[in-house]
Amino acid sequence: MAQSKAAADAAAPAAHGYEFFGPPGAFGISFGLPLLVYIFTFTCNDISGCPAPSLLDPRSLSLDQLKIEVGWPHDGLWGLASWKATGAVLAYYLLSLILYRVLPATEVDGTVLSSGGRLKYRMNTFYSSTATLAALAAGTVAQGAEFPVWVFISDNYLQILTASVGISYAIATFVYVRSFGVKRGNNELRELAAGGCTGNLLYDWFIGRELNPRVTIPLIGEVDLKEWCELRPGMMGWIILNCSWCAQQYRNFGYVTDSIIFITVVQALYVVDSWWFEPAILTTIDITTDGFGMMLAFGDLVWVPFVYSMQTRYLSVHPLSLGPAGLAGTISLIGLGFMIFRSANSQKNAFRTNHNDPAVAHLKYIETKTGSKLLITGWWGIARHINYLGDWIQAWPYSLPTGVAGYQILAAGANAASQGAFVMKDGREVVPGNARGWAIPITYFYIVYFAVLLIHRERRDDEKCHRKYGEDWEKYKKIVRWRIIPGIY
């Protein structure tokens, strides 16, 4: 045991302090965020409203009544999970792994590791994901909104969520335990993350000890768990959940609105863009710096698909329409954000690949003592993370179609088709009622969360670059003053 500990200590890189407020923050995120996803799921529902009526009148609030309004399972906590949903999620993961292995792929070198070597990555996310989407599209053409996949997701959403949370916990625990097998000087290019070797079990499990954990699966071969989770199950799940809510809206009302179609399409384009430019992920902080632990496993497999699809879930019950003017405005806004995001990232990647490329040869830069070149003109001369601004602008059109969010669901026959009500096929009416505006913290949560995420990422990157470049980084910051938003931040 002592020898194993000594070997692990020898393999560990120099730590650089806690992030996310250390162990208390790690505990809060690891167990608080899953709880938040469940709160969103129950608070905004297709049984009583969004939010549930009792939450708007705390004086008459009772636990039994609230359980009825939010659709709490009859089996209590056991009802949050099911073997059927868990098996379906595992089958979905297995399908993704099989497609990863059997479809054509390109092999790409990762960035240089601290040991001097480079990992090779098998990349075919675009092909495997589009094959899955094609199969789902064929099923939808054949069976419409009643396609069993869409119905299954709607009927078992809560249990699918629980299965995904459990899988993320299991993966985080597996890679944490396995990371103690990393040895200095190994020929497998296994390394520990600089921030994940504090010695605190909870924090290291959360942040991730091993930088790029890989496993060899029978008949599948070697899989880089972090890169695979980043772009495959969760990102694909995001599109699938959006499509399932489009089908649910049709089953509820007999039509599909422009707002839910718009969100589904633009978010799908955002995801497909990441698949098409898959090699670009190898230069992100997630791959180059962060270990793979609970933070990334939960973020990739639960947070992205279930939280990012909240707007389409909302619209599946409250079918607001944008209209021509609203649609034109949201398309223009997302086009602006995407243009900034993609142009900036493409410029960076082109410069890193070959700074003599005619497309970027005119750009000015400063060269650091490490040999790295930092751009001070072009997109990256405007702000140090101008791509984050484009990313954040794209977040707004995801939430704006929900309007002044909030609705109540009235029993069939309770009212004679209230003005402005949306009547479901089963006769129930969906009206803003007293809930109008109270669901804004839910449907617009993504915008606030994403801003916090991007600011935090920028701060982490600033600290990393300061450690790496020293006084050259301070010189660079005097030239490129703004962090994300020119003139503001």
Side-chain angles (χ1 to χ4, degrees):
M1 180 67 73
Q3 289 180 340
S4 298
K5 185 178 186 303
D9 291 342
H16 53 76
Y18 285 133
E19 296 181 271
F20 300 99
F21 304 104
F27 178 86
I29 294 172
S30 298
F31 302 104
L33 289 189
L35 182 60
L36 181 62
V37 181
Y38 282 107
I39 290 173
F40 285 149
T41 299
F42 284 117
T43 301
C44 197
N45 60 77
D46 63 354
I47 297 171
S48 61
C50 181
S54 291
L55 296 175
L56 300 176
D57 188 10
R59 291 173 299 179
S60 62
L61 179 64
S62 72
L63 184 59
D64 290 339
Q65 178 62 26
L66 185 61
K67 285 182 176 180
I68 294 172
E69 291 179 354
V70 303
W72 183 257
H74 296 300
D75 298 336
L77 289 175
W78 292 109
L80 297 176
S82 75
W83 290 113
K84 179 173 65 174
T86 302
V89 174
L90 290 174
Y92 165 66
Y93 278 49
L94 178 60
L95 173 63
S96 182
L97 286 168
I98 292 172
L99 294 175
Y100 164 79
R101 174 48 52 193
V102 302
L103 293 180
T106 57
E107 196 171 77
V108 179
D109 289 334
T111 57
V112 179
L113 300 170
S114 61
S115 63
R118 286 175 181 255
L119 290 168
K120 293 186 179 297
Y121 291 83
R122 178 181 172 82
M123 295 193 163
N124 65 358
T125 303
F126 180 80
Y127 299 122
S128 62
S129 298
T130 50
T132 304
L133 287 175
L136 293 172
T140 305
V141 169
Q143 297 178 281
E146 299 296 333
F147 181 45
V149 171
W150 308 138
V151 176
F152 181 86
I153 291 173
S154 296
D155 291 348
N156 298 274
Y157 177 75
L158 189 60
Q159 293 74 26
I160 292 171
L161 168 61
T162 301
S164 300
V165 172
I167 290 171
S168 69
Y169 279 1
I171 291 177
T173 303
F174 170 76
V175 294
Y176 173 79
V177 173
R178 190 172 178 271
S179 69
F180 288 94
V182 177
K183 304 292 190 297
R184 181 181 292 278
N186 67 82
N187 57 10
E188 298 175 325
L189 299 179
R190 295 181 65 190
E191 295 189 0
L192 297 179
C197 303
T198 66
N200 183 281
L201 187 154
L202 173 63
Y203 181 83
D204 292 347
W205 172 78
F206 162 75
I207 206 74
R209 291 189 84 248
E210 189 168 353
L211 186 62
N212 301 110
R214 296 184 165 205
V215 294
T216 300
I217 303 173
L219 303 179
I220 301 295
E222 186 179 65
V223 179
D224 186 290
L225 288 176
K226 181 163 65 170
E227 200 274 338
W228 185 80
C229 287
E230 284 271 315
L231 288 180
R232 292 175 187 263
M235 296 290 266
M236 183 73 212
W238 183 7
I239 295 179
I240 290 175
L241 285 176
N242 278 342
C243 291
S244 74
W245 297 128
C246 288
Q248 181 66 47
Q249 187 187 74
Y250 187 86
R251 291 197 300 274
N252 282 340
F253 300 99
Y255 56 84
V256 180
T257 58
D258 56 4
S259 57
I260 199 170
I261 293 173
F262 168 78
I263 294 175
T264 299
V265 170
V266 297
Q267 290 186 341
L269 290 174
Y270 178 85
V271 173
V272 171
D273 176 75
S274 71
W275 295 338
W276 183 258
F277 293 98
E278 186 175 5
I281 196 176
L282 300 182
T283 61
T284 63
I285 192 172
D286 285 1
I287 300 297
T288 63
T289 305
D290 290 338
F292 187 57
M294 174 58 188
M295 178 180 72
L296 288 181
F298 176 80
D300 293 339
L301 306 180
V302 181
W303 193 256
V304 167
F306 291 94
V307 173
Y308 291 13
S309 62
M310 284 195 303
Q311 294 88 1
T312 53
R313 183 170 179 262
Y314 173 90
L315 291 169
S316 72
V317 184
H318 193 206
L320 298 174
S321 293
L322 288 167
L327 192 60
T330 49
I331 290 175
S332 299
L333 189 60
I334 205 157
L336 172 64
F338 182 78
M339 183 272 294
I340 296 173
F341 173 79
R342 178 48 57 203
S343 297
N345 281 341
S346 296
Q347 188 179 82
K348 176 187 68 175
N349 290 330
F351 185 81
R352 284 181 172 177
T353 303
N354 177 17
H355 66 272
N356 291 318
D357 185 320
V360 293
H362 64 286
L363 299 176
K364 296 180 180 179
Y365 59 86
I366 61 172
E367 188 162 356
T368 68
K369 294 181 179 65
T370 65
S372 297
K373 298 177 176 63
L374 304 176
L375 286 169
I376 57 174
T377 60
W379 281 111
W380 301 91
I382 299 174
R384 302 198 289 273
H385 275 290
I386 190 68
N387 58 330
Y388 287 0
L389 174 60
D391 223 1
W392 190 58
I393 290 175
Q394 290 181 84
W396 281 85
Y398 297 170
S399 297
L400 289 173
T402 64
V404 185
Y407 61 79
Q408 290 180 299
I409 299 178
L410 307 178
N415 273 357
S418 304
Q419 184 176 4
F422 300 100
V423 182
M424 292 184 172
K425 287 183 177 180
D426 61 10
R428 292 182 298 161
E429 292 184 17
V430 181
V431 298
N434 295 331
R436 179 178 173 83
W438 286 100
I440 287 177
I442 298 175
T443 64
Y444 287 78
F445 172 80
Y446 177 75
I447 297 175
V448 177
Y449 154 75
F450 203 43
V452 173
L453 173 69
L454 293 175
I455 291 171
H456 180 259
R457 278 178 173 259
E458 183 277 325
R459 295 284 176 145
R460 293 180 68 208
D461 189 64
D462 183 72
E463 292 177 5
K464 183 192 77 171
C465 290
H466 178 76
R467 290 194 300 269
K468 182 176 181 179
Y469 303 123
E471 61 182 21
D472 288 329
W473 183 248
E474 298 307 313
K475 175 184 175 183
Y476 164 75
K477 291 201 295 184
K478 290 180 180 178
I479 300 173
V480 184
R481 294 176 51 208
W482 303 108
R483 296 173 181 265
I484 299 175
I485 307 177
I488 297 177
Y489 176 75

